[in-house]
Amino acid sequence: DVKVTQSSRYLVKRTGEKVFLECVQDMDHENMFWYRQDPGLGLRLIYFSYDVKMKEKGDIPEGYSVSREKKERFSLILESASTNQTSMYLCASSYRQGGNQPQHFGDGTRLSIL
Amino acid sequence: AQKITQTQPGMFVQEKEAVTLDCTYDTSDPSYGLFWYKQPSSGEMIFLIYQGSYDQQNATEGRYSLNFQKARKSANLVISASQLGDSAMYFCAMREAPLNYGGATNKLIFGTGTLLAVQP
């Protein structure tokens, strides 16, 4: 089974802090994704990566950056956390080829910025 | 622009009955894929079923089936014989990039979800 592991289920940080959310997958997937989920808005794509050191902005990249130094690991960085970044963050991965390949998700990180 | 619409914010269904969750989509690409995910209260997203735009038959996976009506641009999820464990949020999603991009993105666009409550 595919395993996507997010480093924390719950995280509480202060405004202005630099926050790192880590995601690791064990299926040698080329693609990795970071979403945030807010009530009534569904999942919105922040950033994705289709190869090591490659990244592309999603729909809501402002205030975030990402890093992918190894194929299995994709990090989301909140450069200076703000209260409007309080949300559920979901990491996902998938194979690059094959349009029928689903994205596999981690358990999510509930981040609170105080 | 591609878009997914789920018009039912929440639904109730009696245990053992069938339920249909609505999903409509908008795209100008001839090649696309549609996915359904389940999200229990614990938070993880569970892949349920996939339908490709060129698939001739409606997809089925156990108690899940997809009522795919291409001309109407709808891809409704049908859950037969509902169980208490089916209570969850359900998301419809569409693969954004056509396959001739070399599969480089496989980005998904998600709807806002439908919260299903199964009553005993």
Side-chain angles (χ1 to χ4, degrees), chain B residues 32-35 49-53 55-59 66 68 75:
Chain B
Y32 53 90
L34 296 153
F35 299 79
I49 197 167
Y50 167 82
Q51 180 83 45
S53 59
D55 293 344
Q56 294 297 311
Q57 293 186 328
N58 287 344
L66 208 151
F68 182 47

Side-chain angles (χ1 to χ4, degrees), chain B residues 13-17 19 63 79-84 86 118:
Chain B
V13 65
Q14 289 297 123
E15 196 177 6
K16 299 180 184 176
E17 290 185 352
V19 62
R63 293 188 299 112
I79 306 174
S80 63
S82 298
Q83 301 172 356
L84 295 178
D86 293 335
V118 180

